[in-house]
Amino acid sequence: MSTNVQNSFMLFGDSITQGGWETEMNGFGAKLAHVYARKLDVINRGLSGYNTEWGIPVFEQCFATQEQQKHLPTVRLLLIWFGANDSCIAPSPQYVPLVKFASNLKHLISLVQSPRSFYYSPKTRIILATPPPVNTYQRGADLAGRNPPIQLDREFENTKMYADTVKDIAHEEEVAVVDIWTKLYEAAGREERSLSAFLTDGLHLNGAGYKLMYEAVLETIGTAYPELHPDRLEMVFPPWGLVDRNNVVASVQARDAEVVSV
Amino acid sequence: MSTNVQNSFMLFGDSITQGGWETEMNGFGAKLAHVYARKLDVINRGLSGYNTEWGIPVFEQCFATQEQQKHLPTVRLLLIWFGANDSCIAPSPQYVPLVKFASNLKHLISLVQSPRSFYYSPKTRIILATPPPVNTYQRGADLAGRNPPIQLDREFENTKMYADTVKDIAHEEEVAVVDIWTKLYEAAGREERSLSAFLTDGLHLNGAGYKLMYEAVLETIGTAYPELHPDRLEMVFPPWGLVDRNNVVASVQARDAEVVSV
C-alpha cells in the first residue's frame, strides 16, 4: 500500500497547508517531505477554504480509528494549522466564533489523545500552529481588484485573537505550538504593511513566508519532540553503502526509523 | 492512518526520485504532489544509490500484499525509475548487467500484475521511466575533483543501452513509459556536453531537468491513463464552496476522486 512500512507526518489545515507543496513558493510541506525522505511520509491534508468546523468531520474520515490503526503505519506527527478562515468576519460563511474555534481545536486534540476516542492514537505527537497575521492593506487591495469587488473579510486584530487562542490552547493542553503569527510579524518589523514581504495577497504565504514556517516547524520539533527531528531519525531502508551484496535481502530489511544506531 | 481515504501515486526509484521533493531543484515529486493535492497522495520511495537488484526486496516490503491491500488505500499509479545506477561500469558495486536489469524490471512489473503474485494489484497502473543521459564530461570532472579522485563510473553509450531496454520492456509488457533520456538529450540539442543545462553533476537532474521530467510524467499519464490525470480527478473532500452549513457532515463526505461529476 501507500505508506506501508514508513510512519507519517500529517499536515492538517486550510489552503495555506494545501499550497505547501508549491515549489515556486518554496512550500514548507515539500521541504519537510524532502528532509523526512525515507524517514516519515509527509502527508498533505490541507483543505482550501475550510475552517475547524468543517475540518473536524474530514479529520474523522482521514485519521484512522483504533481498529484501522492495527493495519496501518502510525501518524507520529500531526500539525493542526487552522484559524485563517475561522477568523473571517461575520457574516462570512467561513466565520467560526472565537469560543467555538477554541472548543473545536480542543476537540481535535481530544480525538487523538483521549483513550475513549475512536481515534485514540497515543503515539501521535501534536503540534498546533497559529494563523499568519493578515495584511489588511494588501488583502483589501486584492479583494477590491476582483470583479465584482469584494469587501475586506478579515481584520488584523481579530486574526491576532485567534492566534493568541491557539497559543493558549497549546499551553493548556500541553502540546507543542508553532507561533508563525509572531515569527512573521516580528520579521516584518511589527509593521502590518511590511508583511507584504511574506504574503502573496495579504493572507497566503509566499516563498519567504513558507521558509520561516519550515524553519519554525523544525525548531518546534527539535524542542518539543526532539526524537522525531529528521536529524535524529534513521532511514527506514538502509543507505546503499550498507547493502551486503552477498546477502541483499537481509541487509535491506526495514528498520525502525526511531532506533538510532550507536 | 496516513493515507486513509485517499489513494496514492508511488514514485519508486533511486536518488533522482528521492531528491524529487527538493524545492530549490523544482523537484518533480513535489510538483506532482502539488497538482495531485486532495486527489492522490504522491509517495516518495526513492532510494539513493540503489539499483533494481536491491530495489526488489525493498519493493516487497513497501508495496502491500493482497492481504494488506484489504485495509489500505490503493496505489493507482506506480512510477518505476531505475537504471542510473544499474548502468554503472563493472566492477562498481552498483553495476547490474543489462540482461539482469531487464529481467528485474519485468519481475517488478509481474509482482504487481501477475494474479499469482502476493502483491497482485490489478488497479495499479505502471509507468516505467528511462534513466537520464549521462554527461561524462561533467560527471568526470565532478569525480576527478573529489578527494581522493574517483574514476569515471558511467559511460554515455552504456546508459543509453539501459534506457533503450526500459523502452523495449515497456513495449513488451504494455505499460506506459516516460522516455526522459530522449527528452533531455533532445533538449540539449543532441550534444552530450550541453546536458549540463539539465544536470547538476552529469548524473542528477537540476531544476530545468526536473521540469522536463514533471511535464513528461503528466504527458504520459494524459496519454496512457487519462482517467488518472489530475485534471480529470475530483478532490476527495469537496471544495469549500460546496459545504452545506446546515448539513456539514453529509456535505463533506469523502468522494471517489475518479467519479467525475457531470
Side-chain angles (χ1 to χ4, degrees), chain A:
Chain A
M1 96 351 283
S2 303
T3 65
N4 212 359
V5 183
Q6 211 161 288
N7 289 331
S8 70
F9 181 177
M10 185 186 288
L11 309 188
F12 180 57
D14 52 37
S15 56
I16 309 173
T17 297
Q18 185 183 323
W21 271 255
E22 219 171 328
T23 55
E24 288 82 356
M25 288 294 167
N26 206 26
F28 84 118
K31 289 174 84 74
L32 288 171
H34 178 63
V35 291
Y36 276 106
R38 300 177 65 175
K39 298 174 177 179
L40 293 177
D41 288 320
V42 183
I43 302 290
N44 185 348
R45 288 292 175 271
L47 301 149
S48 173
Y50 276 57
N51 54 32
T52 52
E53 193 71 12
W54 308 337
I56 287 171
V58 168
F59 188 80
E60 290 173 333
Q61 296 172 75
C62 70
F63 198 87
T65 61
Q66 290 196 51
E67 186 55 36
Q68 291 171 326
Q69 288 172 29
K70 292 175 190 165
H71 305 290
L72 293 164
T74 305
V75 178
R76 286 294 276 131
L77 284 165
L78 170 65
L79 177 73
I80 300 175
W81 190 11
F82 281 98
N85 298 319
D86 298 68
S87 61
C88 282
I89 304 303
S92 160
Q94 293 164 293
Y95 163 66
V96 175
L98 188 59
V99 172
K100 184 69 177 155
F101 173 66
S103 72
N104 283 346
L105 283 181
K106 285 187 188 184
H107 182 60
L108 280 166
I109 294 169
S110 78
L111 283 174
V112 175
Q113 293 192 338
S114 164
R116 288 170 302 179
S117 162
F118 279 127
Y119 306 92
Y120 178 50
S121 177
K123 291 198 128 184
T124 301
R125 300 287 167 262
I126 295 177
I127 304 166
L128 300 187
T130 57
V134 174
N135 180 347
T136 54
Y137 303 99
Q138 201 181 2
R139 176 75 180 163
D142 181 272
L143 294 179
R146 297 200 192 175
N147 188 7
I150 301 174
Q151 278 216 312
L152 189 63
D153 55 357
R154 287 162 176 87
E155 289 168 1
F156 182 85
E157 283 299 330
N158 189 56
T159 297
K160 182 179 190 313
M161 286 198 299
Y162 283 70
D164 289 342
T165 296
V166 172
K167 285 188 279 185
D168 291 345
I169 289 170
H171 187 73
E172 275 176 49
E173 302 284 330
E174 298 180 336
V175 300
V177 65
V178 173
D179 184 9
I180 192 64
W181 194 98
T182 301
K183 295 256 184 206
L184 288 166
Y185 193 51
E186 287 184 348
R190 308 188 73 81
E191 280 288 346
E192 184 182 339
R193 284 181 190 273
S194 304
L195 284 165
S196 57
F198 302 97
L199 304 172
T200 58
D201 57 1
L203 177 64
H204 296 93
L205 303 188
N206 67 12
Y210 273 129
K211 181 170 186 292
L212 283 186
M213 181 63 185
Y214 166 71
E215 291 165 354
V217 170
L218 284 185
E219 181 190 330
T220 294
I221 293 170
T223 306
Y225 312 122
E227 70 282 8
L228 294 173
H229 191 280
D231 292 348
R232 287 280 295 277
L233 298 177
E234 294 276 349
M235 289 188 280
V236 171
F237 297 105
W240 76 268
L242 295 183
V243 177
D244 177 355
R245 278 187 292 160
N246 297 314
N247 204 359
V248 171
V249 174
S251 66
V252 301
Q253 288 304 298
R255 313 176 296 179
D256 181 346
E258 293 171 48
V259 177
V260 176
S261 59
V262 197

Side-chain angles (χ1 to χ4, degrees), chain B residues 28 36 40 83 89-90 95 103 126 149 164 177 179 188 191 194 205 231:
Chain B
F28 85 118
Y36 275 106
L40 292 177
I89 304 303
Y95 162 67
S103 73
I126 295 177
D164 289 341
V177 65
D179 184 9
E191 281 287 347
S194 304
L205 303 188
D231 292 347

Side-chain angles (χ1 to χ4, degrees), chain A residues 1-5 8 18 23-24 26 31 38 41 45-46 48-50 61-62 64 68 72 238 240 252 254, chain B residues 1-5 8 10 18 23-24 26 31 38 41 45 48-50 61-62 64 68 72 238 240 252 254:
Chain A
M1 96 351 283
S2 303
T3 65
N4 212 359
V5 183
S8 70
Q18 185 183 323
T23 55
E24 288 82 356
N26 206 26
K31 289 174 84 74
R38 300 177 65 175
D41 288 320
R45 288 292 175 271
S48 173
Y50 276 57
Q61 296 172 75
C62 70
Q68 291 171 326
L72 293 164
W240 76 268
V252 301
Chain B
M1 92 355 281
S2 303
T3 64
N4 212 357
V5 183
S8 70
M10 184 186 288
Q18 185 183 323
T23 55
E24 289 81 356
N26 206 25
K31 290 174 83 74
R38 299 176 67 175
D41 288 321
R45 288 293 175 270
S48 172
Y50 275 57
Q61 297 172 75
C62 70
Q68 292 171 325
L72 293 164
W240 76 269
V252 301

